[in-house]
Amino acid sequence: MTKRHYHLLELFYITTGSFLTALGIALFSSPAKIASGGVSGIAIILYHTINLDTGLSIFILSVPLFLLGVAIFGKQYGVKSLAGTVLLSVFTTLINTRAGYDGVLDYSNPLSILLSAISGGVLMGLGVGLVLRSGANTGGTDILAQIVARYTPLSTGTSLFLVDALIIAASAFIFSLEMALYATITVYIVGVTIDKVVLSFGTRSAKTVFIISDRRKEIEQEILKELGHGGTILYGSGMYTGFDRPVIMTVVANNKLGALTNIVHRHDKFAFMVVQEAYKVLGEGFTPIEEAAWAGLSDVTQKQKKKP
């Protein structure tokens, strides 16, 4: 695959993924009042309270967060991520304009809300998964979660969960508790769809990746600069050549594996990668070691109390 073809494939993933995500929002989640977290969830709440177009809301909310991410983390939030944000906003507005804001189901039938939660979740999971595979993202609360994780003891995953939980809780007050429960169904389906159907990343939260490449230095710099991750250099020797072969070992969250693969391919299409499940990851950027230690101590204490 040439570099030009590779970039065209990335563009295809971003465009198709943004369109599918917009379909899920405009045709199912928004008409059903299912605010399943993220910037799209806030946009849905804004539409049903002040009648602000969901696509425009996504753009207004996402771009400042994107710029804040660039200011704090640097250029890792590059053109591709901005493209994903803009395309999602534009597609959502276009679909709303063409299909209307009432969706495609009859919401006088209560079953339609459940169908919207499922259908919207599948479409958004497929869409977000394709965008992530390109190494980009659709912006929004994942940037906010990373900022919270940087300046607090919370991990990125915990921060994202808390941000989305607040949005879903707000929807419970604005719409109803039932709608918030439907939103949790959508969140679950989005996660499962991304992991199992599109990205095939499995069920764990992170991956351990070993990379062998003659362009090790360039790949190292991109991992540090674009992903904001570190790693460890292991030293070994090739069985066939007998030459020393440094190996990059790094641990990345599932949603960054696509970006890491793109980095390696960009610098060395003949590189060798081994991807393994990381059962548990403790330390900076993941679950704090102190938190895990306290949880383990609590488990031991509970077991001791149960002994006769």
Side-chain angles (χ1 to χ4, degrees), residues 85-229:
T85 298
V86 173
L87 284 173
L88 176 60
S89 305
V90 171
F91 283 142
T92 303
T93 296
L94 288 176
I95 294 168
N96 280 330
T97 302
R98 297 287 295 178
Y101 291 84
D102 297 327
V104 293
L105 298 178
D106 178 12
Y107 290 104
S108 62
N109 181 357
L111 182 61
S112 295
I113 300 177
L114 177 60
L115 292 175
S116 289
I118 297 171
S119 301
V122 170
L123 282 171
M124 287 189 287
L126 285 169
V128 172
L130 286 173
V131 174
L132 290 175
R133 175 168 280 187
S134 75
N137 61 62
T138 56
T141 52
D142 58 335
I143 299 174
L144 182 60
Q146 288 177 322
I147 294 171
V148 171
R150 179 165 183 147
Y151 295 106
T152 70
L154 299 175
S155 67
T156 302
T158 301
S159 301
L160 184 59
F161 172 79
L162 291 176
V163 171
D164 287 344
L166 286 173
I167 296 170
I168 294 174
S171 74
F173 285 100
I174 296 170
F175 300 137
S176 68
L177 177 60
E178 289 80 3
M179 301 315 301
L181 293 175
Y182 281 120
T184 61
I185 294 174
T186 299
V187 169
Y188 176 77
I189 293 174
V190 167
V192 169
T193 305
I194 290 173
D195 284 347
K196 295 293 184 67
V197 179
V198 180
L199 300 179
S200 301
F201 282 171
T203 58
R204 306 296 183 190
S205 63
K207 295 290 176 286
T208 302
V209 184
F210 298 90
I211 305 165
I212 302 173
S213 170
D214 293 330
R215 306 292 298 276
R216 175 176 66 87
K217 290 294 184 181
E218 292 90 336
I219 293 172
E220 284 177 26
Q221 291 303 313
E222 287 293 304
I223 291 173
L224 291 168
K225 180 180 177 183
E226 187 173 327
L227 297 185
H229 273 277

Side-chain angles (χ1 to χ4, degrees), residues 29-51:
S29 293
S30 182
K33 300 181 180 180
I34 298 174
S36 55
V39 165
S40 62
I42 300 174
I44 290 169
I45 292 173
L46 290 176
Y47 170 72
H48 288 284
T49 52
I50 63 174
N51 202 34

